[in-house]
mmCIF file of all heavy atoms in Angstrom:
data_model
loop_
_atom_site.group_PDB
_atom_site.id
_atom_site.type_symbol
_atom_site.label_atom_id
_atom_site.label_comp_id
_atom_site.label_asym_id
_atom_site.label_seq_id
_atom_site.Cartn_x
_atom_site.Cartn_y
_atom_site.Cartn_z
ATOM 1 N N GLN C 20 -83.391 59.564 -25.166
ATOM 2 C CA GLN C 20 -84.192 60.124 -26.247
ATOM 3 C C GLN C 20 -83.824 61.589 -26.404
ATOM 4 O O GLN C 20 -83.476 62.257 -25.423
ATOM 5 C CB GLN C 20 -85.693 60.054 -25.931
ATOM 6 C CG GLN C 20 -86.276 58.673 -25.858
ATOM 7 C CD GLN C 20 -87.757 58.744 -25.547
ATOM 8 O OE1 GLN C 20 -88.186 58.471 -24.429
ATOM 9 N NE2 GLN C 20 -88.545 59.109 -26.560
ATOM 10 N N LEU C 25 -89.532 68.176 -31.498
ATOM 11 C CA LEU C 25 -89.441 67.807 -32.898
ATOM 12 C C LEU C 25 -90.668 68.386 -33.576
ATOM 13 O O LEU C 25 -91.791 68.055 -33.206
ATOM 14 C CB LEU C 25 -89.424 66.276 -33.031
ATOM 15 C CG LEU C 25 -89.531 65.717 -34.445
ATOM 16 C CD1 LEU C 25 -88.304 66.109 -35.257
ATOM 17 C CD2 LEU C 25 -89.691 64.188 -34.408
ATOM 18 N N ILE C 32 -94.001 62.694 -42.159
ATOM 19 C CA ILE C 32 -93.604 61.560 -41.315
ATOM 20 C C ILE C 32 -92.767 62.077 -40.153
ATOM 21 O O ILE C 32 -91.803 62.805 -40.343
ATOM 22 C CB ILE C 32 -92.783 60.530 -42.113
ATOM 23 C CG1 ILE C 32 -93.630 59.902 -43.216
ATOM 24 C CG2 ILE C 32 -92.246 59.438 -41.182
ATOM 25 C CD1 ILE C 32 -92.858 58.960 -44.128
ATOM 26 N N ALA C 33 -93.153 61.694 -38.952
ATOM 27 C CA ALA C 33 -92.376 62.029 -37.756
ATOM 28 C C ALA C 33 -91.548 60.817 -37.381
ATOM 29 O O ALA C 33 -92.056 59.702 -37.333
ATOM 30 C CB ALA C 33 -93.288 62.431 -36.612
ATOM 31 N N SER C 34 -90.277 61.030 -37.133
ATOM 32 C CA SER C 34 -89.362 59.944 -36.781
ATOM 33 C C SER C 34 -88.784 60.203 -35.394
ATOM 34 O O SER C 34 -88.125 61.216 -35.162
ATOM 35 C CB SER C 34 -88.240 59.857 -37.815
ATOM 36 O OG SER C 34 -87.323 58.833 -37.460
ATOM 37 N N LEU C 35 -89.064 59.287 -34.493
ATOM 38 C CA LEU C 35 -88.625 59.414 -33.105
ATOM 39 C C LEU C 35 -87.647 58.283 -32.797
ATOM 40 O O LEU C 35 -87.903 57.128 -33.133
ATOM 41 C CB LEU C 35 -89.839 59.333 -32.165
ATOM 42 C CG LEU C 35 -90.939 60.349 -32.468
ATOM 43 C CD1 LEU C 35 -92.245 59.928 -31.839
ATOM 44 C CD2 LEU C 35 -90.522 61.713 -31.969
ATOM 45 N N ASN C 36 -86.564 58.618 -32.145
ATOM 46 C CA ASN C 36 -85.519 57.633 -31.905
ATOM 47 C C ASN C 36 -85.233 57.449 -30.419
ATOM 48 O O ASN C 36 -85.435 58.370 -29.609
ATOM 49 C CB ASN C 36 -84.232 58.053 -32.611
ATOM 50 C CG ASN C 36 -84.431 58.164 -34.108
ATOM 51 O OD1 ASN C 36 -84.965 57.252 -34.734
ATOM 52 N ND2 ASN C 36 -84.017 59.279 -34.684
ATOM 53 N N CYS C 37 -84.720 56.282 -30.112
ATOM 54 C CA CYS C 37 -84.445 55.925 -28.723
ATOM 55 C C CYS C 37 -83.270 54.949 -28.711
ATOM 56 O O CYS C 37 -83.233 54.020 -29.527
ATOM 57 C CB CYS C 37 -85.704 55.279 -28.129
ATOM 58 S SG CYS C 37 -85.506 54.519 -26.507
ATOM 59 N N PHE C 48 -91.224 49.529 -25.807
ATOM 60 C CA PHE C 48 -92.561 50.105 -25.845
ATOM 61 C C PHE C 48 -92.487 51.584 -26.195
ATOM 62 O O PHE C 48 -91.545 52.290 -25.823
ATOM 63 C CB PHE C 48 -93.242 49.957 -24.480
ATOM 64 C CG PHE C 48 -93.247 48.542 -23.963
ATOM 65 C CD1 PHE C 48 -92.175 48.046 -23.237
ATOM 66 C CD2 PHE C 48 -94.323 47.704 -24.210
ATOM 67 C CE1 PHE C 48 -92.162 46.741 -22.774
ATOM 68 C CE2 PHE C 48 -94.326 46.403 -23.747
ATOM 69 C CZ PHE C 48 -93.244 45.922 -23.038
ATOM 70 N N TRP C 49 -93.515 52.043 -26.881
ATOM 71 C CA TRP C 49 -93.696 53.471 -27.109
ATOM 72 C C TRP C 49 -95.008 53.891 -26.470
ATOM 73 O O TRP C 49 -96.058 53.297 -26.728
ATOM 74 C CB TRP C 49 -93.714 53.799 -28.596
ATOM 75 C CG TRP C 49 -92.342 53.785 -29.207
ATOM 76 C CD1 TRP C 49 -91.773 52.778 -29.936
ATOM 77 C CD2 TRP C 49 -91.376 54.836 -29.160
ATOM 78 N NE1 TRP C 49 -90.502 53.129 -30.328
ATOM 79 C CE2 TRP C 49 -90.236 54.387 -29.868
ATOM 80 C CE3 TRP C 49 -91.362 56.106 -28.587
ATOM 81 C CZ2 TRP C 49 -89.093 55.175 -30.017
ATOM 82 C CZ3 TRP C 49 -90.223 56.887 -28.746
ATOM 83 C CH2 TRP C 49 -89.098 56.424 -29.455
ATOM 84 N N TYR C 50 -94.909 54.916 -25.638
ATOM 85 C CA TYR C 50 -96.075 55.493 -24.998
ATOM 86 C C TYR C 50 -96.232 56.936 -25.476
ATOM 87 O O TYR C 50 -95.249 57.651 -25.672
ATOM 88 C CB TYR C 50 -95.933 55.495 -23.479
ATOM 89 C CG TYR C 50 -96.093 54.141 -22.819
ATOM 90 C CD1 TYR C 50 -95.026 53.249 -22.728
ATOM 91 C CD2 TYR C 50 -97.324 53.752 -22.280
ATOM 92 C CE1 TYR C 50 -95.180 52.009 -22.119
ATOM 93 C CE2 TYR C 50 -97.478 52.512 -21.662
ATOM 94 C CZ TYR C 50 -96.403 51.653 -21.590
ATOM 95 O OH TYR C 50 -96.560 50.433 -20.982
ATOM 96 N N ARG C 51 -97.460 57.336 -25.613
ATOM 97 C CA ARG C 51 -97.779 58.733 -25.915
ATOM 98 C C ARG C 51 -98.362 59.360 -24.660
ATOM 99 O O ARG C 51 -99.228 58.777 -24.006
ATOM 100 C CB ARG C 51 -98.790 58.814 -27.064
ATOM 101 C CG ARG C 51 -99.245 60.223 -27.434
ATOM 102 C CD ARG C 51 -100.148 60.186 -28.651
ATOM 103 N NE ARG C 51 -101.363 59.439 -28.404
ATOM 104 C CZ ARG C 51 -102.165 58.997 -29.379
ATOM 105 N NH1 ARG C 51 -101.870 59.219 -30.656
ATOM 106 N NH2 ARG C 51 -103.267 58.340 -29.071
ATOM 107 N N GLU C 59 -99.999 56.491 -22.606
ATOM 108 C CA GLU C 59 -100.882 55.614 -23.369
ATOM 109 C C GLU C 59 -100.017 54.728 -24.255
ATOM 110 O O GLU C 59 -99.233 55.224 -25.075
ATOM 111 C CB GLU C 59 -101.846 56.440 -24.217
ATOM 112 C CG GLU C 59 -102.727 55.617 -25.148
ATOM 113 C CD GLU C 59 -103.475 56.479 -26.150
ATOM 114 O OE1 GLU C 59 -103.240 57.706 -26.181
ATOM 115 O OE2 GLU C 59 -104.278 55.928 -26.922
ATOM 116 N N ILE C 61 -98.907 52.817 -27.272
ATOM 117 C CA ILE C 61 -99.293 52.851 -28.675
ATOM 118 C C ILE C 61 -98.593 51.780 -29.504
ATOM 119 O O ILE C 61 -99.122 51.357 -30.528
ATOM 120 C CB ILE C 61 -99.055 54.237 -29.304
ATOM 121 C CG1 ILE C 61 -97.613 54.721 -29.116
ATOM 122 C CG2 ILE C 61 -100.020 55.265 -28.727
ATOM 123 C CD1 ILE C 61 -97.305 55.987 -29.873
ATOM 124 N N MET C 62 -97.430 51.328 -29.065
ATOM 125 C CA MET C 62 -96.727 50.291 -29.821
ATOM 126 C C MET C 62 -95.827 49.504 -28.881
ATOM 127 O O MET C 62 -95.284 50.061 -27.929
ATOM 128 C CB MET C 62 -95.854 50.882 -30.929
ATOM 129 C CG MET C 62 -96.597 51.425 -32.130
ATOM 130 S SD MET C 62 -97.365 50.139 -33.121
ATOM 131 C CE MET C 62 -95.941 49.434 -33.939
ATOM 132 N N PHE C 63 -95.664 48.218 -29.175
ATOM 133 C CA PHE C 63 -94.651 47.436 -28.504
ATOM 134 C C PHE C 63 -94.012 46.514 -29.526
ATOM 135 O O PHE C 63 -94.636 46.112 -30.502
ATOM 136 C CB PHE C 63 -95.216 46.650 -27.319
ATOM 137 C CG PHE C 63 -96.350 45.735 -27.672
ATOM 138 C CD1 PHE C 63 -96.118 44.425 -28.050
ATOM 139 C CD2 PHE C 63 -97.666 46.182 -27.583
ATOM 140 C CE1 PHE C 63 -97.174 43.575 -28.351
ATOM 141 C CE2 PHE C 63 -98.733 45.341 -27.878
ATOM 142 C CZ PHE C 63 -98.480 44.037 -28.267
ATOM 143 N N ILE C 64 -92.740 46.199 -29.305
ATOM 144 C CA ILE C 64 -91.999 45.374 -30.247
ATOM 145 C C ILE C 64 -90.991 44.557 -29.468
ATOM 146 O O ILE C 64 -90.353 45.049 -28.532
ATOM 147 C CB ILE C 64 -91.321 46.251 -31.331
ATOM 148 C CG1 ILE C 64 -90.664 45.393 -32.402
ATOM 149 C CG2 ILE C 64 -90.335 47.246 -30.729
ATOM 150 C CD1 ILE C 64 -90.272 46.169 -33.656
ATOM 151 N N LYS C 70 -92.489 46.722 -37.117
ATOM 152 C CA LYS C 70 -93.839 46.325 -36.744
ATOM 153 C C LYS C 70 -94.753 47.501 -37.037
ATOM 154 O O LYS C 70 -94.507 48.605 -36.568
ATOM 155 C CB LYS C 70 -93.911 45.951 -35.261
ATOM 156 C CG LYS C 70 -95.305 45.552 -34.805
ATOM 157 C CD LYS C 70 -95.326 45.231 -33.324
ATOM 158 C CE LYS C 70 -96.747 44.880 -32.879
ATOM 159 N NZ LYS C 70 -96.786 44.618 -31.412
ATOM 160 N N GLU C 71 -95.788 47.246 -37.824
ATOM 161 C CA GLU C 71 -96.673 48.322 -38.258
ATOM 162 C C GLU C 71 -98.049 48.172 -37.651
ATOM 163 O O GLU C 71 -98.575 47.052 -37.544
ATOM 164 C CB GLU C 71 -96.772 48.315 -39.790
ATOM 165 C CG GLU C 71 -97.541 49.488 -40.378
ATOM 166 C CD GLU C 71 -97.509 49.484 -41.901
ATOM 167 O OE1 GLU C 71 -96.451 49.192 -42.481
ATOM 168 O OE2 GLU C 71 -98.564 49.759 -42.503
ATOM 169 N N ASP C 72 -98.623 49.304 -37.256
ATOM 170 C CA ASP C 72 -99.985 49.312 -36.745
ATOM 171 C C ASP C 72 -100.606 50.640 -37.140
ATOM 172 O O ASP C 72 -100.312 51.670 -36.524
ATOM 173 C CB ASP C 72 -99.997 49.136 -35.222
ATOM 174 C CG ASP C 72 -101.412 49.049 -34.660
ATOM 175 O OD1 ASP C 72 -102.389 49.092 -35.446
ATOM 176 O OD2 ASP C 72 -101.557 48.938 -33.431
ATOM 177 N N ARG C 74 -101.001 54.032 -38.628
ATOM 178 C CA ARG C 74 -100.017 55.043 -39.035
ATOM 179 C C ARG C 74 -98.677 54.905 -38.314
ATOM 180 O O ARG C 74 -97.744 55.649 -38.591
ATOM 181 C CB ARG C 74 -100.601 56.435 -38.767
ATOM 182 C CG ARG C 74 -101.825 56.778 -39.599
ATOM 183 C CD ARG C 74 -102.241 58.223 -39.421
ATOM 184 N NE ARG C 74 -102.655 58.542 -38.056
ATOM 185 C CZ ARG C 74 -101.987 59.367 -37.248
ATOM 186 N NH1 ARG C 74 -100.881 59.974 -37.656
ATOM 187 N NH2 ARG C 74 -102.439 59.617 -36.028
ATOM 188 N N PHE C 75 -98.583 53.986 -37.388
ATOM 189 C CA PHE C 75 -97.384 53.841 -36.578
ATOM 190 C C PHE C 75 -96.549 52.644 -37.038
ATOM 191 O O PHE C 75 -97.082 51.581 -37.339
ATOM 192 C CB PHE C 75 -97.750 53.643 -35.101
ATOM 193 C CG PHE C 75 -98.522 54.785 -34.502
ATOM 194 C CD1 PHE C 75 -99.889 54.684 -34.319
ATOM 195 C CD2 PHE C 75 -97.884 55.953 -34.135
ATOM 196 C CE1 PHE C 75 -100.614 55.732 -33.760
ATOM 197 C CE2 PHE C 75 -98.596 57.010 -33.574
ATOM 198 C CZ PHE C 75 -99.965 56.895 -33.388
ATOM 199 N N THR C 76 -95.235 52.833 -37.057
ATOM 200 C CA THR C 76 -94.295 51.743 -37.309
ATOM 201 C C THR C 76 -93.188 51.818 -36.278
ATOM 202 O O THR C 76 -92.557 52.866 -36.116
ATOM 203 C CB THR C 76 -93.669 51.830 -38.712
ATOM 204 O OG1 THR C 76 -94.692 51.718 -39.704
ATOM 205 C CG2 THR C 76 -92.663 50.693 -38.917
ATOM 206 N N ALA C 77 -92.998 50.718 -35.566
ATOM 207 C CA ALA C 77 -91.885 50.618 -34.634
ATOM 208 C C ALA C 77 -90.777 49.820 -35.305
ATOM 209 O O ALA C 77 -91.038 48.851 -36.018
ATOM 210 C CB ALA C 77 -92.321 49.957 -33.339
ATOM 211 N N GLN C 78 -89.546 50.245 -35.086
ATOM 212 C CA GLN C 78 -88.395 49.564 -35.656
ATOM 213 C C GLN C 78 -87.418 49.256 -34.534
ATOM 214 O O GLN C 78 -87.124 50.114 -33.705
ATOM 215 C CB GLN C 78 -87.714 50.465 -36.704
ATOM 216 C CG GLN C 78 -88.612 50.831 -37.868
ATOM 217 C CD GLN C 78 -87.959 51.845 -38.805
ATOM 218 O OE1 GLN C 78 -87.345 52.804 -38.362
ATOM 219 N NE2 GLN C 78 -88.105 51.629 -40.102
ATOM 220 N N LEU C 79 -86.926 48.026 -34.517
ATOM 221 C CA LEU C 79 -86.008 47.600 -33.479
ATOM 222 C C LEU C 79 -84.733 47.038 -34.100
ATOM 223 O O LEU C 79 -84.803 46.206 -35.003
ATOM 224 C CB LEU C 79 -86.657 46.543 -32.578
ATOM 225 C CG LEU C 79 -85.780 45.894 -31.509
ATOM 226 C CD1 LEU C 79 -85.250 46.927 -30.528
ATOM 227 C CD2 LEU C 79 -86.543 44.789 -30.800
ATOM 228 N N TYR C 85 -81.019 50.305 -30.647
ATOM 229 C CA TYR C 85 -81.922 51.429 -30.811
ATOM 230 C C TYR C 85 -83.295 50.949 -31.269
ATOM 231 O O TYR C 85 -83.449 49.896 -31.885
ATOM 232 C CB TYR C 85 -81.350 52.487 -31.767
ATOM 233 C CG TYR C 85 -81.629 52.261 -33.237
ATOM 234 C CD1 TYR C 85 -82.862 52.596 -33.798
ATOM 235 C CD2 TYR C 85 -80.661 51.730 -34.069
ATOM 236 C CE1 TYR C 85 -83.123 52.385 -35.144
ATOM 237 C CE2 TYR C 85 -80.902 51.531 -35.413
ATOM 238 C CZ TYR C 85 -82.136 51.855 -35.942
ATOM 239 O OH TYR C 85 -82.375 51.642 -37.272
ATOM 240 N N VAL C 86 -84.251 51.749 -30.918
ATOM 241 C CA VAL C 86 -85.633 51.500 -31.321
ATOM 242 C C VAL C 86 -86.213 52.835 -31.776
ATOM 243 O O VAL C 86 -85.901 53.876 -31.189
ATOM 244 C CB VAL C 86 -86.446 50.872 -30.168
ATOM 245 C CG1 VAL C 86 -86.422 51.718 -28.913
ATOM 246 C CG2 VAL C 86 -87.869 50.580 -30.589
ATOM 247 N N SER C 87 -87.002 52.794 -32.804
ATOM 248 C CA SER C 87 -87.556 54.028 -33.333
ATOM 249 C C SER C 87 -89.055 53.889 -33.565
ATOM 250 O O SER C 87 -89.596 52.780 -33.623
ATOM 251 C CB SER C 87 -86.861 54.439 -34.639
ATOM 252 O OG SER C 87 -87.066 53.460 -35.633
ATOM 253 N N LEU C 88 -89.691 55.036 -33.679
ATOM 254 C CA LEU C 88 -91.131 55.090 -33.965
ATOM 255 C C LEU C 88 -91.342 56.059 -35.114
ATOM 256 O O LEU C 88 -90.877 57.202 -35.053
ATOM 257 C CB LEU C 88 -91.910 55.560 -32.737
ATOM 258 C CG LEU C 88 -93.416 55.700 -32.930
ATOM 259 C CD1 LEU C 88 -94.071 54.315 -33.076
ATOM 260 C CD2 LEU C 88 -94.058 56.463 -31.764
ATOM 261 N N LEU C 89 -92.011 55.578 -36.146
ATOM 262 C CA LEU C 89 -92.383 56.433 -37.268
ATOM 263 C C LEU C 89 -93.880 56.673 -37.211
ATOM 264 O O LEU C 89 -94.657 55.729 -37.012
ATOM 265 C CB LEU C 89 -92.024 55.772 -38.599
ATOM 266 C CG LEU C 89 -90.550 55.443 -38.846
ATOM 267 C CD1 LEU C 89 -90.382 54.738 -40.190
ATOM 268 C CD2 LEU C 89 -89.697 56.691 -38.787
ATOM 269 N N ILE C 90 -94.259 57.917 -37.378
ATOM 270 C CA ILE C 90 -95.670 58.272 -37.443
ATOM 271 C C ILE C 90 -95.915 58.856 -38.826
ATOM 272 O O ILE C 90 -95.383 59.926 -39.171
ATOM 273 C CB ILE C 90 -96.049 59.298 -36.353
ATOM 274 C CG1 ILE C 90 -95.650 58.780 -34.970
ATOM 275 C CG2 ILE C 90 -97.548 59.581 -36.401
ATOM 276 C CD1 ILE C 90 -95.882 59.800 -33.852
ATOM 277 N N ARG C 91 -96.700 58.151 -39.613
ATOM 278 C CA ARG C 91 -97.011 58.636 -40.963
ATOM 279 C C ARG C 91 -98.222 59.542 -40.927
ATOM 280 O O ARG C 91 -99.065 59.447 -40.038
ATOM 281 C CB ARG C 91 -97.285 57.442 -41.887
ATOM 282 C CG ARG C 91 -96.067 56.630 -42.249
ATOM 283 C CD ARG C 91 -96.439 55.463 -43.173
ATOM 284 N NE ARG C 91 -97.376 54.547 -42.537
ATOM 285 C CZ ARG C 91 -97.012 53.635 -41.651
ATOM 286 N NH1 ARG C 91 -95.745 53.525 -41.297
ATOM 287 N NH2 ARG C 91 -97.912 52.840 -41.113
ATOM 288 N N ASP C 97 -101.481 64.422 -32.905
ATOM 289 C CA ASP C 97 -100.329 63.602 -32.512
ATOM 290 C C ASP C 97 -99.343 64.390 -31.656
ATOM 291 O O ASP C 97 -98.396 63.810 -31.109
ATOM 292 C CB ASP C 97 -99.596 63.078 -33.757
ATOM 293 C CG ASP C 97 -100.414 62.110 -34.575
ATOM 294 O OD1 ASP C 97 -101.220 61.355 -33.983
ATOM 295 O OD2 ASP C 97 -100.268 62.098 -35.822
ATOM 296 N N THR C 100 -95.875 64.189 -25.954
ATOM 297 C CA THR C 100 -94.552 63.653 -25.621
ATOM 298 C C THR C 100 -94.591 62.144 -25.816
ATOM 299 O O THR C 100 -95.517 61.476 -25.343
ATOM 300 C CB THR C 100 -94.168 63.986 -24.170
ATOM 301 O OG1 THR C 100 -94.033 65.410 -24.033
ATOM 302 C CG2 THR C 100 -92.846 63.330 -23.799
ATOM 303 N N TYR C 101 -93.593 61.638 -26.521
ATOM 304 C CA TYR C 101 -93.512 60.205 -26.795
ATOM 305 C C TYR C 101 -92.400 59.607 -25.932
ATOM 306 O O TYR C 101 -91.237 60.010 -26.015
ATOM 307 C CB TYR C 101 -93.274 59.963 -28.281
ATOM 308 C CG TYR C 101 -94.514 60.282 -29.074
ATOM 309 C CD1 TYR C 101 -94.828 61.596 -29.389
ATOM 310 C CD2 TYR C 101 -95.409 59.281 -29.441
ATOM 311 C CE1 TYR C 101 -95.997 61.914 -30.069
ATOM 312 C CE2 TYR C 101 -96.581 59.590 -30.135
ATOM 313 C CZ TYR C 101 -96.862 60.912 -30.432
ATOM 314 O OH TYR C 101 -98.034 61.221 -31.096
ATOM 315 N N LEU C 102 -92.797 58.658 -25.118
ATOM 316 C CA LEU C 102 -91.878 58.019 -24.185
ATOM 317 C C LEU C 102 -91.477 56.652 -24.705
ATOM 318 O O LEU C 102 -92.344 55.828 -25.028
ATOM 319 C CB LEU C 102 -92.536 57.864 -22.820
ATOM 320 C CG LEU C 102 -92.901 59.144 -22.068
ATOM 321 C CD1 LEU C 102 -93.889 58.829 -20.949
ATOM 322 C CD2 LEU C 102 -91.667 59.802 -21.493
ATOM 323 N N CYS C 103 -90.194 56.426 -24.764
ATOM 324 C CA CYS C 103 -89.657 55.101 -25.082
ATOM 325 C C CYS C 103 -89.456 54.378 -23.752
ATOM 326 O O CYS C 103 -88.951 54.967 -22.786
ATOM 327 C CB CYS C 103 -88.335 55.278 -25.826
ATOM 328 S SG CYS C 103 -87.387 53.769 -26.095
ATOM 329 N N LEU C 122 -93.195 66.040 -29.466
ATOM 330 C CA LEU C 122 -93.508 66.182 -30.897
ATOM 331 C C LEU C 122 -94.547 67.272 -31.082
ATOM 332 O O LEU C 122 -95.556 67.303 -30.376
ATOM 333 C CB LEU C 122 -94.053 64.862 -31.454
ATOM 334 C CG LEU C 122 -94.582 64.900 -32.886
ATOM 335 C CD1 LEU C 122 -93.449 65.186 -33.863
ATOM 336 C CD2 LEU C 122 -95.276 63.586 -33.245
#
Side-chain angles (χ1 to χ4, degrees):
Chain C
Q20 293 180 255
L25 172 65
I32 296 175
S34 178
L35 305 161
N36 300 311
C37 170
F48 307 87
W49 283 100
Y50 286 84
R51 178 175 63 196
E59 175 191 5
I61 54 173
M62 287 290 286
F63 57 90
I64 186 166
K70 179 182 178 182
E71 187 175 319
D72 184 2
R74 295 187 297 113
F75 299 102
T76 298
Q78 299 174 317
L79 175 61
Y85 86 80
V86 56
S87 62
L88 178 70
L89 300 178
I90 305 175
R91 288 180 299 281
D97 294 327
T100 295
Y101 288 80
L102 296 164
C103 171
L122 173 66

